[in-house]
Amino acid sequence: MSRTPYNPETEGAQMSFDGRMSYGDYLRLDKILTAQAPLSHAHDEMLFIVQHQASEIWMRLVIHELMSVCEHIAKDDLAPSFKMLSRVSRILDQLNSAWDVLRTMTPSEYTTFREALGMSSGFQSFQYRAIEFLAGNKNAAMMRPHVHRPEIHAWLEGILRAPSIYDQSIRLLARKGFAIDAAVLERDCALPYEANDSVRDAWLVVYRAPEAHWPLYELAEKLVDFEDYFRRWRFNHVTTVERIIGFKTGTGGTSGVNYLRKMLDVVLFPELWSMRTEL
């Protein structure tokens, strides 16, 4: 018995897009899907490119969200920032899953195209650097790989010098009446943050009576959640690199796994972790 093929047009589906915007037009898929240009004939280079491009697209959204978080906290408008920080944590979960795909590539397969990468390296990702700066891991030396791109360098410098999400959170504590040292509130935001007892004491008050400081308590937990997922992302990065290249020098000239392991020691919101021991 023959069946007539289903035709969605009979139910009103739009099928003609001459001069009208389609799904592919809106998403600019012609640009996205032609941006993969392997430099070798190795089968696995496509995986390498797609994984990193997809990660950069997700990082684009992380930056968008974290910039908005800073703006909302600065205005004491916390509810939207909670949603945004939760979204960032879910994005980092997606980025963690991406390492699982890349780990299907063996060392033998990577060597078939590694030379084609030249000196390019994830170490040079300006979007990743922006995320680190927004989260508070400030290091002006990390901007040097971007000097050859003045517009990117200027953009990163603006983020470097602006208050991070943690700087904004500490300023919020002060606005809510907590005694925060002036040196913390007036510090140069382009420099790395150093843990401070007054900040730890403020968070201790919040955590000892969460019902009295619920918005600050929720903000603190959203920040811890964010850093938790960020740490997992870094750890998975180290594991993936070690699995694929061992302890070879990275393509960008870093010490590879040894450099990445140093990043595991970075703590973004130190008092939110240290005060847990005192609760």
Side-chain angles (χ1 to χ4, degrees), residues 226-266:
F226 163 66
E227 182 163 5
D228 189 347
Y229 276 95
F230 204 7
R231 287 181 179 184
R232 296 185 212 180
W233 189 88
R234 286 177 173 147
F235 178 80
N236 276 315
H237 189 183
V238 173
T239 302
T240 302
V241 171
E242 184 175 355
R243 176 169 175 162
I244 295 175
I245 71 168
F247 287 84
K248 295 186 184 75
T249 299
T251 50
T254 69
S255 56
V257 168
N258 288 327
Y259 162 74
L260 293 172
R261 282 184 173 174
K262 292 177 183 178
M263 298 301 101
L264 296 179
D265 294 330
V266 173

Side-chain angles (χ1 to χ4, degrees), residues 2-248:
S2 64
R3 297 179 60 184
T4 303
Y6 170 65
N7 182 359
E9 189 171 12
T10 62
E11 297 179 356
Q14 300 297 309
M15 307 292 277
S16 177
F17 293 93
D18 185 17
R20 301 163 68 188
M21 184 171 65
S22 69
Y23 172 83
D25 297 330
Y26 176 71
L27 295 178
R28 300 189 179 185
L29 293 182
D30 55 334
K31 293 185 178 181
I32 293 175
L33 299 180
T34 56
Q36 296 75 46
L39 299 178
S40 73
H41 296 293
H43 174 81
D44 289 86
E45 189 179 358
M46 181 63 81
L47 162 63
F48 190 82
I49 292 172
V50 169
Q51 192 271 340
H52 285 84
Q53 287 182 342
S55 295
E56 289 289 339
I57 291 174
W58 279 122
M59 284 192 277
R60 173 71 181 87
L61 182 55
V62 169
I63 293 166
H64 173 72
E65 300 294 339
L66 291 181
M67 284 183 165
S68 291
V69 168
C70 287
E71 293 172 3
H72 281 282
I73 295 176
K75 296 185 296 186
D76 290 11
D77 186 17
L78 296 187
S81 70
F82 298 156
K83 175 64 177 291
M84 294 168 187
L85 284 168
S86 292
R87 180 176 292 162
V88 168
S89 293
R90 301 293 84 73
I91 295 169
L92 289 170
D93 196 26
Q94 289 279 358
L95 288 169
N96 272 315
S97 296
W99 294 124
D100 292 338
V101 181
L102 191 60
R103 280 196 285 264
T104 64
M105 183 170 60
T106 68
S108 300
E109 291 161 347
Y110 181 55
T111 58
T112 61
F113 66 88
R114 190 183 190 214
E115 288 187 4
L117 303 180
M119 295 298 294
S120 64
S121 167
F123 169 75
Q124 301 147 13
S125 169
F126 65 87
Q127 288 203 126
Y128 177 77
R129 198 58 54 205
I131 293 170
E132 289 274 12
F133 288 175
L134 284 163
N137 187 20
K138 304 290 185 76
N139 185 346
M142 295 300 189
M143 293 177 56
R144 291 184 62 188
H146 311 291
V147 172
H148 69 295
R149 296 286 301 277
E151 71 286 359
I152 291 174
H153 189 271
W155 177 71
L156 277 176
E157 185 169 18
I159 298 173
L160 175 75
R161 297 190 180 283
S164 69
I165 56 174
Y166 198 49
D167 288 321
Q168 294 290 10
S169 298
I170 293 170
R171 292 179 182 187
L172 175 65
L173 288 171
R175 291 196 300 274
K176 295 300 182 181
F178 291 91
I180 304 298
D181 287 349
V184 176
L185 299 174
E186 298 167 4
R187 77 182 196 87
D188 183 351
C189 291
L191 298 177
Y193 175 77
E194 294 183 6
N196 180 274
D197 288 346
S198 69
V199 176
R200 181 204 59 206
D201 292 344
W203 287 126
L204 275 170
V205 171
V206 170
Y207 272 76
R208 282 173 173 154
E211 67 284 348
H213 308 283
W214 192 265
L216 293 172
Y217 178 68
E218 187 167 3
L219 173 61
E221 281 300 290
K222 296 296 184 187
L223 291 173
V224 170
D225 200 35
F226 163 66
E227 182 163 5
D228 189 347
Y229 276 95
F230 204 7
R231 287 181 179 184
R232 296 185 212 180
W233 189 88
R234 286 177 173 147
F235 178 80
N236 276 315
H237 189 183
V238 173
T239 302
T240 302
V241 171
E242 184 175 355
R243 176 169 175 162
I244 295 175
I245 71 168
F247 287 84
K248 295 186 184 75

